[in-house]
Amino acid sequence: MACYSITKGSFSSLTNYSAKSHLGNLRIKQRICLAFGGPRNRGSFSVSAMGSSSSSQKQDSTQGAGNTDYSSMSDDEWRKRLTDNQFYITRKKGTERAFTGEYWNTKTPGTYHCICCDTPLFESSTKFDSGTGWPSYYQPIGNNVKSKLDLSIIFMPRQEVLCAVCDAHLGHIFDDGPPPTGKRYCINSASLKLNPK
């Protein structure tokens, strides 16, 4: 079995297969394995997003179909799509005041999407009352969020949470959440849009 790990724009290992046209503009790392075990499997292949559920794979392909290159969008373009508060929080890494956001106490069932690119980020079933005044979740949807070290506050390193598709700043992740993950994704309401069930 020959396996290749590829990312957006890296398709050199697959010269006989037009991966770009079939995978679209995926932002998450994909794993493509070509099985050569026997005559029955010769030339067959499978595609799976590492760590993703089937529902997040469906969404990833939907996002790729739009072919929007969010990384090249200017601040002016984002300002046209967002309110001042949404722009400040998602594109300039701002934080809304506790207990002021639209969703901090919302209990409506549904899916919370990124306000910038409409990627589904959190299910309402993973939302919990953290007592902090911000919407809090113990688990994101698939690989649709990512995190990176945030050193913006001296002597208080944190893990920033970002949308994996458009790099929108969502909030921060902490290790004081409930089971089963023990994580608390502390998210700004202004970075979200709730699609009720």
Side-chain angles (χ1 to χ4, degrees), residues 34-170:
L34 304 176
F36 299 101
R40 210 167 94 185
N41 293 330
R42 195 174 307 277
S44 66
F45 61 90
S46 63
V47 179
S48 66
M50 294 190 292
S52 296
S53 66
S54 58
S55 62
S56 66
Q57 286 177 7
K58 181 178 178 184
Q59 180 58 39
D60 293 336
S61 63
T62 301
Q63 291 300 319
N67 290 326
T68 302
D69 184 6
Y70 294 105
S71 63
S72 67
M73 287 182 62
S74 68
D75 280 354
D76 286 340
E77 289 173 296
W78 282 118
R79 284 182 197 277
K80 290 175 186 173
R81 296 174 73 143
L82 305 168
T83 67
D84 289 344
N85 193 44
Q86 291 166 346
F87 176 79
Y88 166 69
I89 287 170
T90 61
R91 308 323 303 181
K92 297 301 177 185
K93 303 185 185 301
T95 301
E96 64 198 11
R97 286 181 296 122
F99 303 101
T100 64
E102 181 178 1
Y103 301 123
W104 77 269
N105 199 28
T106 300
K107 293 173 176 50
T108 305
T111 305
Y112 291 86
H113 289 237
C114 176
I115 196 69
C116 295
C117 68
D118 203 32
T119 297
L121 303 174
F122 301 96
E123 293 290 350
S124 60
S125 59
T126 66
K127 191 173 189 279
F128 67 97
D129 183 5
S130 64
T132 62
W134 287 280
S136 298
Y137 310 84
Y138 62 78
Q139 181 176 304
I141 295 174
N143 290 330
N144 292 353
V145 304
K146 62 184 180 180
S147 65
K148 70 175 187 177
L149 185 62
D150 176 2
L151 298 173
S152 61
I153 299 178
I154 300 173
F155 305 118
M156 194 175 121
R158 300 176 293 172
Q159 285 292 318
E160 178 185 8
V161 179
L162 303 156
C163 173
V165 174
C166 71
D167 283 333
H169 171 76
L170 305 174

Side-chain angles (χ1 to χ4, degrees), residues 23 26 28-33 46-52 57:
L23 291 178
L26 294 180
I28 62 173
K29 196 170 187 181
Q30 298 290 315
R31 184 174 178 208
I32 295 180
C33 293
S46 63
V47 179
S48 66
M50 294 190 292
S52 296
Q57 286 177 7

